[in-house]
Amino acid sequence: MLTALVAVAFCACLFAGRSPSAGQVWEVLTGQGDPTARHIVLRLRVPRALVALGAGASLGLAGLLLQSALRNPLAGPEVTGVTPGAVLGAVTATGLGLAGWESPTAVVVAACLGGFTGAGLLWLLAGRRRSDPEETAVHGVLVSAVLAGLTSMVLLVAPGELGSVVQWLIGSTEGRVWEHWTLLWPWALVWGVASCALAAPLTLLRCGDEQATAAGLAAGRARGAALVGAVALTAGAVSAVGALGFVGLLVPHLALAVFGADLRATLPGAALIGAVVVCGADAGAQVLSRVLVEGLGAERMTVPAGALTTCVGAVLLLVVARRHGAGQV
């Protein structure tokens, strides 16, 4: 069923744009269509949809890794320093002229360095209490706040770059081309397979360190491996689409509700749900952009996918927080 939803979301992303029309898109997909329509569909819309799927799968998987390793249902890339660090790396590299939205290779490197830096700061700040999920979550919020502040400072130092980095802060799939997909899918595939291989250790970790240790698991090593995988997946997604709010935080809850606590099924399920959510958000953002353009008579208006995921995610986060209680934050 989820595989079918992935296909539906992918097709919705292809047909949701303003121009060419749905009929012209269908002509291109059946091997016809004029050169302009073929260029837009095959060189812009198809890679854009694929990047949305890959980034969503990476974020969904990363979120479940973090929540399982830290044993906190409100942990996610957005509040553990990973996403803010990756954004800071991309924004800093852009401000210094070392990378840009059109140079994905340099951005991948910068985002990965930033993401691992954020995770490293959290690791150092947590100190000997890394096994305490509540303490780690609180330290993650603090690290995320500091990194967000540093990002704001970079924007103040280089205000001329504001327009080019806003999409990193909000998250957008616009302008994604085949080069972005070529860089994203091998990275996501390698780290995704490696992360799914941690299903059994992570299932034990969700039961607590004492139970995991009693079963013969080295809890610290398993947690460290999961955190590395989460950072790598988040950095790859951020380097491709920017900071899509609440995807990595809320997708794991949907995956656990659908697939249960056995992570052998839930980890791949989280990847599929994340892909559907981000690709669906991109299609919804394109439709909303068309409605606003036609309703306001504007020549061009683009709603980023990250704005949609943030608005919807904020409401769902309140539901999750009320269910689990503020004491677990």
Side-chain angles (χ1 to χ4, degrees), residues 91 93-97 99-100 154-155 157-168:
V91 169
T94 302
L96 295 176
V154 172
L155 294 178
V157 172
E161 300 293 335
L162 178 61
S164 61
V165 301
V166 163
Q167 43 198 337
W168 297 118

Side-chain angles (χ1 to χ4, degrees), residues 48-328:
R48 172 177 178 162
L50 289 174
V51 168
L53 290 175
S58 298
L59 290 174
L61 194 53
L64 185 54
L65 287 174
L66 286 172
Q67 292 183 10
S68 300
L70 300 179
R71 290 189 293 116
N72 192 307
L74 297 183
E78 302 88 344
V79 293
T80 52
V82 180
T83 294
V87 171
L88 176 61
V91 169
T92 302
T94 302
L96 295 176
L98 302 177
W101 196 253
E102 71 286 346
S103 54
T105 303
V107 173
V108 168
V109 175
C112 287
L113 290 175
F116 278 104
T117 299
L121 289 174
L122 173 60
W123 199 252
L124 291 174
L125 188 60
R128 296 181 179 180
R129 300 181 64 84
R130 294 166 188 160
S131 61
D132 189 325
E134 287 78 13
E135 288 282 343
T136 303
V138 171
H139 289 140
V141 173
L142 294 175
V143 170
S144 298
V146 171
L147 294 174
L150 291 175
T151 301
S152 300
M153 291 177 62
V154 172
L155 294 178
L156 289 175
V157 172
E161 300 293 335
L162 178 61
S164 61
V165 301
V166 163
Q167 43 198 337
W168 297 118
L169 303 176
I170 300 177
S172 175
T173 55
E174 186 178 9
R176 305 302 84 206
V177 294
W178 284 110
E179 187 178 2
H180 297 89
W181 170 244
T182 302
L183 288 170
L184 176 62
W185 79 260
W187 181 271
L189 179 62
V190 169
W191 285 105
V193 171
S195 299
C196 288
L198 297 172
L202 283 175
T203 300
L204 289 175
L205 280 180
R206 291 181 64 88
C207 299
D209 284 9
E210 293 183 1
Q211 291 84 347
T213 303
L217 176 69
R221 293 182 181 179
R223 180 174 290 106
L227 292 177
V228 169
V231 171
L233 287 166
T234 302
V238 170
S239 68
V241 298
L244 293 173
F246 295 107
V247 175
L249 186 62
L250 296 174
V251 164
H253 294 276
L254 296 176
L256 289 168
V258 173
F259 294 98
D262 188 351
L263 296 186
R264 290 174 297 179
T266 308
L267 282 169
L272 288 174
I273 293 175
V276 171
V277 167
V278 173
C279 200
D282 184 40
Q286 291 186 64
V287 172
L288 184 57
S289 299
R290 291 176 58 183
V291 171
L292 291 176
V293 167
E294 295 172 0
L296 300 177
E299 200 171 299
R300 177 176 174 80
M301 179 177 292
T302 302
V303 177
L308 215 57
T309 62
T310 300
C311 291
V312 176
V315 177
L316 295 179
L317 179 60
L318 292 176
V319 176
V320 173
R322 288 177 63 88
R323 177 180 298 177
H324 291 280
Q328 296 190 36

